[in-house]
Amino acid sequence: MELDVAGYLGAVDRSVSEVEVEGQPARAITLVRSFATTVDDLWDALTNGERIPRWFLPISGELALGGRYQFEGNAGGVITECDRPSLLAATWEFGGDVSWVEVRLSDDGPGSARLTLTHTMRLSDQWETFGPGATGVGWEGGLVGLALHFETPDESISDEAAFTASEEGKAFYAGSSEAWGEAAVAFGDDPATARAAARRTSAFYTGEPEEPA
C-alpha cells in the first residue's frame, strides 16, 4: 500500500494533558482529525459492527449504551456514554488495566467531519517507558485505517502486518512516535526523557533498533 506518510501525519493534532482519575494522577492524550465525510457517516463508521472491521478490528458484543464490547485480540470494555451523533465513551480494558476513551464528533464544514479522541490512563510503568506514544501511535494507525475507509470504501482493510513491515509503515510509525514525543515536550515533560521514550516507542512498532540519542 502506498501511503502519503507526511500527509497522514500532518492531518492529526496531538496533545497531552494532566488529569486526575479517582484521586490518582493520570494523563490524557488527545488526537484531533477531520475526515471527508459527514458527521452522521462518521458516527456510523464508528458504531456499526459491520463497518468497524473494515477499517479497524473485528468486534463482538452489544454495541449500545451499557453494553460490553470486545475487539478481537485487543481491548474490550463497557460503553458508558452514547449520544448520537456527537459523543461516544467507553472503558478500555486490556492486560488487566482499565483506561477510558471518549470520542466527540462535530461538523467541520461542507463535506467534512471532525473527530476528537481522548484516551485517559493512570500513570504506569508503560507510560514512564513509552510516554504518550504507547497509546497515541496505535490510535493514529487506527485513524489512518478510518481515513482510507472513507477514501476507498469498497476496499478491504490492508494487512496490518504487511503494512508495518513496509517502508511506508515503518516511516509512519517512526514519524508518529516522534510527533508524540514532541507533544510530550509541549506538555512540559523533560525533552531528553520524552524523546528517549519516543525512540523506544518507534523501536517497538517498527522492530528496528532504537536510534541513539
Side-chain angles (χ1 to χ4, degrees):
M1 177 182 68
E2 293 186 5
L3 185 74
D4 177 8
V5 172
Y8 281 97
L9 290 174
V12 178
D13 291 328
R14 309 163 189 82
S15 61
V16 181
S17 57
E18 183 176 11
V19 296
E20 206 174 81
V21 175
E22 298 174 351
Q24 298 180 341
R27 293 289 183 272
I29 64 162
T30 299
L31 305 88
V32 182
R33 193 198 196 284
S34 293
F35 297 91
T37 189
T38 64
V39 170
D40 284 337
D41 188 45
L42 179 55
W43 176 268
D44 188 68
L46 295 172
T47 59
N48 185 327
E50 294 184 359
R51 287 182 74 178
I52 293 170
R54 290 159 58 188
W55 63 269
F56 194 50
L57 292 169
I59 189 170
S60 59
E62 183 185 1
L63 303 185
L65 182 63
R68 175 166 285 277
Y69 69 93
Q70 179 65 53
F71 284 112
E72 185 177 297
N74 204 295
V78 175
I79 298 170
T80 56
E81 293 185 77
C82 184
D83 184 10
R84 180 188 181 98
S86 59
L87 173 63
L88 182 67
T91 61
W92 188 261
E93 303 170 20
F94 183 75
D97 292 327
V98 179
S99 53
W100 300 267
V101 176
E102 177 187 275
V103 180
R104 292 185 179 273
L105 309 184
S106 59
D107 184 72
D108 198 32
S112 183
R114 175 172 293 188
L115 178 151
T116 301
L117 186 154
T118 300
H119 192 154
T120 301
M121 63 218 79
R122 296 183 180 91
L123 289 177
S124 65
D125 291 342
Q126 183 186 48
W127 182 277
E128 294 297 325
T129 301
F130 298 105
T135 46
V137 172
W139 280 121
E140 201 162 336
L143 296 189
V144 168
L146 185 56
L148 291 171
H149 173 64
F150 291 124
E151 292 169 15
T152 55
D154 295 328
E155 294 186 14
S156 300
I157 190 171
S158 300
D159 186 299
E160 183 179 0
F163 173 64
T164 301
S166 70
E167 291 303 313
E168 291 89 353
K170 290 180 180 180
F172 172 78
Y173 286 118
S176 177
S177 299
E178 180 179 359
W180 280 106
E182 294 310 306
V185 173
F187 163 69
D189 285 350
D190 173 71
T193 300
R195 288 166 185 151
R199 291 193 295 273
R200 287 191 287 270
T201 302
S202 179
F204 173 82
Y205 275 97
T206 64
E208 299 289 334
E210 185 179 331
E211 293 288 335

